[in-house]
Amino acid sequence: MSTPMNTSTPVGREALLAATEHGRICAVAAKGQRDLQRCAAAYPELFSPKAFEPALFSNVAMAITFGAPWCSAEQLRLTNRAVLWGFALDYLVDHEAQSRHEIDRLTERCLAVADGGTPEPDDALGRLLAELRDELAAGPAFAAYRGVWREELRKVLESMAREWDWKTAAQTDGPALPGLDEYLANADNLACTIVNVTHWISNDDRSALTHLDALVEASAEVQRVLRLVNDLGTYERDLRWGDLNAIMLVSDRSDVERKIEELVARCHELFAPLAPACPQAVEYLSRQVGFSSGFYRGTDFWGQM
């Protein structure tokens, strides 16, 4: 029989408090996972069990909750769902689209929804996006910051289309692959900043929204770090799936590792002047880098498919 933790010492009390806090965070993530599963169940044509295994919903909820552990499950609901929408978009572009025309049509539909349009009945991705848009619009901040949200959405759609062009060209002996800097300039295909903007708007985070332009710039740099951290952890999978990966664009894996160090240093430069005015938003961005750096050392969001 195990011995109960001794809480009569400072170390014991600290360990108990830390474990209690970790348990609370995991509970919030569990609630987020269940909501994501309900969301996916409402769109079976978009989230096939083959591609979207249960662990993916858990991974998304954990990543978002550990990035903002001060938030409740309700405060993270739209943030989680924005991530799920991004995964659905990524899957459609990377694994379902057969032509650039299909991707252009998908982009047109999504931007029309962002502009207030009604999605077509057969457009599950557009219908989910419309749900996100309408819930954001019900809050006090969306009217003022809708343009920023729409611009970040446009970047995601165009960057995913651009990467599809690169991959298709590479498979047909077309133009050479991009260099590392060009590849990183297209990091909006990770859909990180659109999620962050959704988070700040949905929670009416006044300190963050007051400095939104600077935070978007910092988030874009974080996004580049996450792009490379992701690539280091998923290189073998990307080879199997025929996806692009930063390691394919350099002479040695260490080039990517050095680039990450440079980008992290740049993130800290961008964080420094923002921290006094919006410390929580800066911590949120910083925790994204930390969580992903640990997460991709051991697993990935996607399953085997």
Side-chain angles (χ1 to χ4, degrees), residues 19 24 56 61 66 81 93-94 99 117 138 149-150 157 161 175 180 187 204 216 242 247 257-258 272 278 299 305:
R24 185 196 64 78
L56 184 142
F66 277 89
R81 289 191 170 209
V93 171
D94 278 358
S99 69
W149 181 78
R150 200 264 191 197
L157 293 162
L180 183 59
D204 192 25
V216 165
I247 297 175
E257 294 169 343
R258 282 192 295 272
C278 43
T299 190
M305 280 206 285

Side-chain angles (χ1 to χ4, degrees), residues 11-287:
V11 172
R13 287 194 295 274
E14 290 174 7
L16 178 62
L17 289 172
T20 301
E21 176 62 5
H22 294 161
R24 185 196 64 78
I25 292 170
C26 289
V28 173
K31 290 180 179 179
Q33 176 185 350
R34 294 183 188 114
D35 179 72
L36 289 175
Q37 289 173 318
R38 287 192 294 269
C39 179
Y43 293 91
E45 66 273 56
L46 199 57
F47 299 104
S48 69
K50 175 185 175 182
F52 293 89
E53 63 177 8
L56 184 142
F57 305 120
S58 174
N59 292 339
V60 169
M62 282 193 300
I64 294 303
T65 305
F66 277 89
W70 48 81
C71 287
S72 67
E74 181 57 31
Q75 288 173 310
L76 296 177
R77 181 173 173 275
L78 285 186
T79 314
N80 282 328
R81 289 191 170 209
V83 176
L84 190 62
W85 182 87
F87 271 98
L89 171 65
D90 184 53
Y91 182 76
L92 288 176
V93 171
D94 278 358
H95 300 283
E96 294 291 320
Q98 299 298 312
S99 69
R100 180 57 191 259
H101 174 74
E102 287 183 43
I103 295 174
D104 289 344
R105 179 64 179 139
L106 182 152
T107 298
E108 291 170 4
R109 286 179 166 188
C110 288
L111 290 178
V113 169
D115 291 333
T118 300
E120 299 175 17
D122 65 342
D123 181 11
L125 187 71
R127 287 189 284 115
L128 178 54
L129 181 62
E131 280 193 22
L132 289 169
R133 177 203 65 198
D134 291 347
E135 288 202 44
L136 283 171
F142 190 63
Y145 298 99
R146 181 175 192 154
V148 178
W149 181 78
R150 200 264 191 197
E151 175 62 10
E152 294 306 316
L153 180 69
R154 180 194 64 78
K155 291 178 184 177
V156 171
L157 293 162
E158 292 187 358
S159 63
M160 285 195 180
R162 189 175 297 113
E163 180 158 335
W164 188 90
D165 288 341
W166 288 338
K167 290 195 302 180
T168 302
Q171 293 165 3
T172 58
D173 297 322
L177 291 175
L180 183 59
D181 289 340
E182 186 179 3
Y183 177 76
L184 286 173
N186 199 54
D188 286 295
N189 66 343
L190 202 64
C192 172
T193 299
I194 181 62
V195 168
N196 295 340
V197 169
T198 298
H199 177 72
W200 292 318
I201 292 175
S202 66
N203 286 287
D204 192 25
D205 187 334
R206 288 289 109 189
S207 63
L209 294 172
T210 301
H211 300 85
L212 190 56
D213 288 345
L215 283 171
V216 165
E217 181 184 1
S219 177
E221 203 72 6
V222 166
Q223 194 167 236
R224 295 182 188 103
V225 175
L226 300 189
R227 174 75 277 165
L228 295 185
V229 168
N230 176 303
D231 285 0
L232 287 179
T234 62
Y235 176 61
E236 297 298 331
R237 186 206 72 190
D238 289 339
L239 286 178
R240 293 194 305 272
W241 289 5
D243 287 344
L244 284 186
N245 186 293
I247 297 175
M248 303 172 187
L249 311 178
V250 296
S251 58
D252 189 86
R253 181 187 181 97
S254 63
D255 294 338
V256 175
E257 294 169 343
R258 282 192 295 272
K259 191 66 175 180
I260 290 175
E261 293 177 0
E262 293 175 14
L263 292 172
V264 169
R266 174 59 179 157
C267 285
H268 288 303
E269 290 177 5
L270 294 171
F271 292 164
L274 285 167
C278 43
Q280 196 172 82
V282 169
E283 182 179 350
Y284 169 78
L285 292 175
S286 181
R287 289 178 70 92

